[in-house]
Structures are given as C-alpha cells and as structure tokens.
Amino acid sequence: MTGVVGFIGLGVMGQPMAMNLARAGVPLVVWNRTASRCAPVVELGARLAGGPAEVFERCGTVMVMPADERATDAVLGRGTPGFAARVRGRTVVQMGTVAASYSQAVATETAVAGGAYVEAPVSGSRGPAESGNLVAMVAGAEADVERVRPLLAPMCAEVFACGPVPSAMITKFAVNVFLITMVTGLAEAFHFAEEHGVDFARLRRILDAGPMSSRVSRAKAGKLADADYSVQAAIADVLKNNRLTTDAARTRGAATPLLDACHELYGEACDLGHARLDMAAVIHALRARAHPA
C-alpha cells in the first residue's frame, strides 16, 4: 500500500474504519464535518485536512463515507465547476450505502472527468468496524478494484468482487433485506416474550444456544435483554437503508412484504424519538402498537 489515502466521513462506522487504516500504517488524511470526530484518528498519526478539497489535493485515493447522497455530493463538489478538478486522476471509493442509480451516475461522471470510481459498501455495524471484521462488496473496473483491495484489508475480514457498478450496492441491498428483517423478527420475539412474562435472560440463553444463533443475533439479543440501546446501527440509518432497498426492489418489481413492514416499524420508532438509538430499539415501536397512548 503506497501513496496517501483520504478518508471523509467519520461517523459511527467511518471513524473506527479510519482508525484501523491508521493503525495499519496507511498514510492518511481525514476530514469530517464535525471536526472532533477526527481527533482519535489524528492521535494515531493521520493528518487533519481543512476541508474536502484539501483531501483530494493531497491524496490519490479518497474513501468517502458520508451520511447520504447530498453529503457525498458536497464532499465531491458534484454539480459545481470544481468537481472535475477534484476527482481527475483520483480514485473515489464509495463506502457508504447510497441509491444504486446515484452510484452509477457518480461513477459515469467521475470517469468522464478522468477519475476512477469503486463501490465498496460494507456489511456490519460499529462492533465489526472496530475489530476490522466488516465484509466489503466491491464493484468497478477490475484494475481499480484490485488497486483498492489492499486498502480494505485493515477494515474487512472478507472482500467480495461483485462486477461493474452498481452491482456491489445491489448486493448490499440484498444483505440489508436479511439483516433488517432478522433483527426486527428478533425484537418481535422479545416483545412477544415480554407480553407473556417470559424471562428475557432465559430467552437470550436459549436463542444463543440454538441453531439460529449468529454473531448479529447474539449481539442484538444481548441489547434487548439488557435494554441497552447504545448505537451500533442507528434506527435512522436502518430506516434509510430500508428505503433504499425497497426503492431498488420497485425498479424490478420484486416483492418485499417483510421489508415493507419493517419500514413502517422503523419509521414509527423514529417518530417516537429513538432515531439515534440502536436498531434493537425498534421494540419500542412494537410496544407502542400493543399499548397505544
């Protein structure tokens, strides 16, 4: 791994990912809209940039993980005269989850401007991000993907090449269907148990011992049993990813009855004031339905 790498977007996921890059000795330049989020990465040796433009000026490869499409446009300068100069001769690595059509458009515009674009959305929450055990799905020109692959190693346990853009994003949406419906089903199981007086600690032990147990189910069952809603994957972010996935499904006529039900529940959880809590807090929406005020 050679050359200076940029990382923009140090949120719940981005910060630990950038920290793992810094620990691996990758020369790093970072920027985040909330500057204090950069401090732990800078302590590990990263350089702090004054803004997105400086990151692109100093780096040949820039990983971007902002909250959404609007934030991505802002850091790329997309839609402004500065966009072409910012991405020309650089490799933009989109690590956030965005609409597939949006990612395709950015890829096309970046290529026209003389840059390269790689999709690299990841599966996992804050815990796997901290331990470097995320799973990356990558898409783009084969040479660009192979150039980026070594940079993903400090952050990811597995990296899967998916083909051309936007195939990585579409694959991530398929993963989202399973993740969101699984965790929501787990929350519903705990809600059912609660209404019938079943002991949460015992239920957790049974689920952890059974054939359905997984790293995700064990983590979320622990949160539900302990009423610990400290964020690993926020309700608001799950709602966004749910929407992106159902929107993609509509383009091909795919049926998403379970995901549609989840979309309603996560929206209700946000309306109840739980947007920044972990997705396990969707149990509050179930409780509100059972016992409306």
Side-chain angles (χ1 to χ4, degrees):
M1 293 180 289
T2 59
V4 181
V5 175
F7 203 113
I8 298 175
L10 302 177
V12 170
M13 297 283 289
Q15 186 191 72
M17 291 164 67
M19 291 173 70
N20 282 332
L21 280 173
R23 290 189 187 102
V26 176
L28 207 59
V29 176
V30 298
W31 181 83
N32 190 70
R33 185 171 55 184
T34 303
S36 60
R37 298 287 302 175
C38 298
V41 194
V42 171
E43 289 176 4
L44 293 171
R47 300 290 183 88
L48 177 63
E54 183 182 341
V55 177
F56 280 90
E57 287 170 4
R58 298 174 63 178
C59 303
T61 299
V62 180
M63 297 180 166
V64 294
M65 202 168 186
D68 52 27
E69 290 90 343
R70 177 183 292 183
T72 303
D73 283 348
V75 301
L76 295 178
R78 187 165 176 255
T80 74
F83 170 76
R86 193 168 291 190
V87 302
R88 185 179 298 118
R90 273 83 174 174
T91 299
V92 177
V93 184
Q94 172 59 269
M95 301 203 73
T97 303
V98 296
S101 58
Y102 170 85
S103 189
Q104 180 67 76
V106 176
T108 300
E109 293 170 21
T110 300
V112 169
Y117 180 87
V118 174
E119 282 181 341
V122 294
S123 177
S125 57
R126 187 175 67 182
E130 290 172 343
S131 63
N133 284 310
L134 296 169
V135 174
M137 292 141 277
V138 293
E142 185 176 353
D144 298 331
V145 167
E146 291 308 308
R147 187 168 62 253
V148 166
R149 187 184 288 271
L151 294 172
L152 301 175
M155 300 180 286
C156 302
E158 297 280 354
V159 177
F160 294 91
C162 298
V165 175
S167 58
M169 213 61 70
I170 293 296
T171 304
K172 171 66 188 293
F173 295 157
V175 172
N176 282 349
V177 175
F178 182 45
L179 172 66
I180 295 170
T181 56
M182 176 181 65
V183 174
T184 309
L186 184 65
E188 188 169 327
F190 272 83
H191 170 62
F192 176 91
E194 183 176 55
E195 294 297 318
H196 286 80
V198 175
D199 180 72
F200 271 13
R202 183 184 301 115
L203 176 61
R204 175 188 180 184
R205 292 196 301 273
I206 292 168
L207 291 172
D208 287 353
M212 297 175 293
S213 178
S214 68
R215 186 166 61 189
V216 172
S217 74
R218 290 191 296 273
K220 299 307 181 187
K223 284 186 167 296
L224 288 160
D226 298 336
D228 168 21
Y229 304 119
S230 57
V231 68
Q232 292 284 332
I235 289 279
D237 294 332
V238 174
L239 179 62
K240 181 202 79 170
N241 289 343
N242 193 317
R243 175 183 55 78
L244 290 173
T245 305
T246 52
D247 286 350
R250 301 294 178 264
T251 66
R252 296 298 180 94
T256 56
L258 298 179
L259 208 57
D260 293 342
C262 291
H263 190 273
E264 292 183 8
L265 286 166
Y266 285 91
E268 291 166 21
C270 281
D271 292 341
L272 290 167
H274 306 307
R276 301 319 307 171
L277 298 183
D278 187 77
M279 67 186 298
V282 73
I283 194 172
H284 292 305
L286 295 164
R287 288 167 174 160
R289 286 193 183 188
H291 305 285

